[in-house]
Amino acid sequence: YPNTGDYTISDFALNGLEGYLAYYENTGDTERIRTDWAAMMRNLDWFHQLADQRRDMLLDAEWDRKAGIKAHYGGFHGDLQIVKGHMDNTGIHCVFSCTYLIAMQSALILAKAIGEEDDARELRRRIAVLRRSISRAFWDPKKKCFADNQRHRTHSIHCNLFPVRAGIVTKAQRAAIREYVARQLHCLFANGYDPSGGAYTSPNFAFYILDGLYRAGLTRTAEDMMRTGWGWALSQGMRTCPEYWTTRSSQCHAWSASPTYYLSRYVLGVHYPAAPD
């Protein structure tokens, strides 16, 4: 987000577009979108310039190092403090590229809502290129799942659920991803019982992992993950949601409260009608 120092998190700037879409979908307020549209496009333009360094428009998670720019969190923040070796956050990156794609998909809906046809036309062009590029670059036909980067050395749950979130997987890929992720995430904690051996996602990033699980139809996996992770937090006496699976970091982290939303929506069954009703 914009600031005067090096405390920048590039993927958060992309997440912001999803936030605007959620606001619009739940309020029907186009005036806010019109007011901020130029700023949203300036934000996206930075990523367009990064994407245009390659014909396939895929994003490089090490853009900061290669450009000689000092960034506190590096070129791509992603999901911190997951089990070592599960996810390679270097090189031309699947999750970073998917996050860019999802941001553009969000912006396209907003552009159509406020009649910005020129911007919508350019977003459609970029989306079409990036959709093809992600599948070609990261799908591993031998393992039948997506890889984190072009080296195909690691195949995290993240790089498999983000293409699901972006809606770019085929029926056959979805079936293979369901099997792979369910096997990888049979327990949130790597040792099978607590976070001392590492975890496959942190509570603050779980908003996106849970979204991908539900979209993939992995309801049991999603709810087992909540029981395990937030159950552990309750067993430690916590009354609020921790940033990570530890008692030594932020103990009241809004992003970590996502089970409240997912349980309300998918278990309790609370669905809102179309805004602004």
Side-chain angles (χ1 to χ4, degrees), residues 10-54:
S10 58
D11 31 323
F12 280 22
L14 291 170
N15 299 149
L17 273 295
E18 287 189 80
Y20 273 105
L21 177 60
Y23 171 79
Y24 165 69
E25 288 179 333
N26 286 283
T27 65
D29 180 8
T30 55
E31 189 58 36
R32 175 80 271 161
I33 306 304
R34 287 192 182 92
T35 299
D36 293 357
W37 186 249
M40 282 189 269
M41 290 298 98
R42 284 195 302 272
N43 173 37
L44 265 185
D45 187 60
W46 186 93
F47 294 94
H48 294 339
Q49 292 181 50
L50 182 62
D52 287 344
Q53 294 176 16
R54 299 174 54 89

Side-chain angles (χ1 to χ4, degrees), residues 2-13:
N3 66 84
T4 56
D6 66 357
Y7 195 85
T8 55
I9 302 178
S10 58
D11 31 323
F12 280 22

Side-chain angles (χ1 to χ4, degrees), residues 137-182:
F138 304 117
W139 180 254
D140 189 329
K142 293 182 179 178
K143 287 187 172 291
K144 295 184 179 179
C145 61
F146 282 89
D148 287 300
N149 55 30
Q150 290 182 311
R151 288 187 284 273
H152 285 212
R153 294 175 183 170
T154 60
H155 304 74
S156 68
I157 61 170
H158 306 65
C159 70
N160 282 280
L161 293 175
F162 265 68
V164 172
R165 295 190 67 234
I168 61 172
V169 299
T170 66
K171 186 176 180 180
Q173 286 174 334
R174 179 183 295 272
I177 288 168
R178 280 170 52 90
E179 183 178 342
Y180 178 77
V181 171

